[in-house]
């Protein structure tokens, strides 16, 4: 267990976040597995990683369990999720966390390294609209070393297949309803629990001042992500994993 002087069981918070996320994405671990497979395939088992929009450090957790000699810099703006991340990895000198706004043009100046072998992110960048996301990809083109990788696993919608999209959504939501009836917490319920916790209450209130209730960004297609990454300085990019609703796009510098 990862308890600190506050008496907070950070590991339990990590696990509850994972369960809440899995309610939306039952194949979440599969995308992480493929992500780390491709890290190993392209840059090897001892990478310097930037965990972009890291949240509680879900990617970092799986990275270090699989590659003990890896290092990770987690960057996020959410004070509540960063509190869980910092509490979980307290004392682990392989991990550094940075508070930064990815829409700030100077956010990379806060990082401890000028370049990374791999920049990884999952289910986060849909909070950005296409224009700031393209600008972010341009920054990442300068941050990933030559031969390094960027991977983004997120909701990516092909608007050219409306019947397939509607069928997938109806099927997924029926499964979510069954899980909810069995006691699964959704996003709003998880945050309501966090808001009542004596340690997380203040940072939770602060995160809602920053972000509001819901993402208002875009969910462009895989093709958009691949094209934008290539124009941002990457040599090639394509999907390396997909579910009916989400994709994992890999770009090699």
């Amino acid at each position: 267990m990862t308890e600190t002087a506050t008496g907070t069981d950070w590991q339990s918070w990590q696990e509850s976040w994972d369960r809440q996320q899995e309610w939306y994405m039952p194949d979440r671990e599969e995308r992480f597995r493929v992500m780390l497979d491709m890290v190993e395939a392209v840059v090897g088992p001892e990478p310097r990683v930037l965990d972009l929009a890291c949240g509680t450090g879900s990617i970092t957790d799986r990275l270090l369990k699989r590659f003990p000699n890896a290092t990770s810099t987690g960057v996020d703006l959410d004070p509540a999720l960063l509190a869980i991340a910092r509490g979980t990895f307290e004392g682990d000198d392989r991990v550094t966390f940075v508070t930064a706004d990815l829409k700030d043009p100077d956010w990379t100046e806060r990082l401890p390294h000028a370049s990374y072998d791999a920049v990884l992110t999952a289910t986060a960048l849909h909070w950005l609209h296409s224009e700031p996301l393209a600008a972010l990809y341009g920054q990442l083109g300068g941050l990933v070393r030559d031969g390094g990788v960027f991977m983004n696993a997120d909701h990516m919608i092909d608007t050219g297949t409306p019947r397939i999209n509607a069928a997938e959504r109806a099927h997924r939501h029926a499964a979510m309803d069954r899980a909810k009836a069995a006691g699964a917490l959704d996003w709003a319920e998880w945050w309501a629990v966090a808001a009542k916790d004596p340690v997380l209450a203040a940072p939770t209130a602060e995160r809602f001042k920053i972000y509001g209730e819901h993402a208002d960004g875009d969910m462009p297609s895989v093709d958009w992500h691949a094209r934008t990454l290539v124009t941002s300085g990457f040599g090639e990019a394509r999907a390396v994993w997909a579910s009916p609703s989400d994709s994992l796009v890999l770009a090699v510098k």
Side-chain angles (χ1 to χ4, degrees):
M1 304 298 260
T2 50
E3 294 190 11
T4 65
T6 64
T8 300
D9 183 350
W10 295 115
Q11 189 60 47
S12 289
W13 278 109
Q14 283 282 359
E15 291 170 359
S16 69
W17 176 258
D18 282 343
R19 299 295 84 75
Q20 179 258 124
Q21 290 287 285
E22 287 165 0
W23 182 67
Y24 295 95
M25 298 167 288
D27 49 23
R28 186 167 176 258
E29 290 302 326
E30 178 69 5
R31 73 190 68 194
F32 287 146
R33 182 191 66 78
V34 175
M35 180 180 282
L36 296 182
D37 280 351
M38 297 310 298
V39 167
E40 185 174 26
V42 182
V43 300
E46 299 184 11
R48 175 192 289 171
V49 170
L50 178 63
D51 186 351
L52 189 70
C54 65
T56 66
S58 296
I59 291 174
T60 293
D61 177 56
R62 288 150 181 82
L63 172 79
L64 298 179
K65 285 175 179 173
R66 179 160 169 178
F67 306 126
N69 292 325
T71 60
S72 179
T73 303
V75 59
D76 208 302
L77 187 61
D78 189 312
L81 298 185
L82 279 174
I84 295 171
R86 289 187 168 111
T88 299
F89 295 97
E90 185 177 6
D92 191 334
D93 60 8
R94 299 171 296 176
V95 185
T96 303
F97 289 104
V98 174
T99 301
D101 185 348
L102 298 181
K103 290 185 283 189
D104 179 350
D106 299 321
W107 72 270
T108 59
E109 295 179 8
R110 296 174 175 263
L111 301 176
H113 305 292
S115 68
Y116 288 85
D117 300 313
V119 177
L120 309 177
T121 188
T123 327
L125 298 188
H126 64 273
W127 283 77
L128 298 178
H129 289 287
S130 297
E131 186 174 340
L133 180 55
L136 175 63
Y137 280 177
Q139 292 176 301
L140 298 180
L143 197 59
V144 174
R145 68 160 172 86
D146 286 346
V149 299
F150 166 70
M151 277 182 270
N152 178 16
D154 209 343
H155 314 312
M156 298 182 187
I157 304 301
D158 185 341
T159 57
T161 58
R163 288 186 296 166
I164 295 172
N165 297 349
E168 181 281 325
R169 187 179 187 279
H171 184 268
R172 174 165 44 90
H173 278 261
M176 291 168 67
D177 289 344
R178 291 191 296 271
K180 187 74 177 295
L185 294 182
D186 65 17
W187 169 269
E189 290 166 335
W190 189 91
W191 281 109
V193 173
K196 295 176 182 177
D197 182 83
V199 174
L200 290 177
T204 294
E206 182 62 24
R207 71 88 54 202
F208 279 100
K209 289 180 183 177
I210 295 169
Y211 291 109
E213 292 290 336
H214 299 290
D216 64 350
D218 300 328
M219 289 182 279
S221 68
V222 169
D223 287 344
W224 182 95
H225 286 275
R227 289 195 312 271
T228 304
L229 286 163
V230 170
T231 60
S232 299
F234 290 89
E236 54 190 61
R238 70 168 176 87
V240 292
W241 173 91
S243 74
S245 61
D246 290 20
S247 294
L248 169 60
V249 170
L250 182 153
V252 179
K253 182 72 178 293

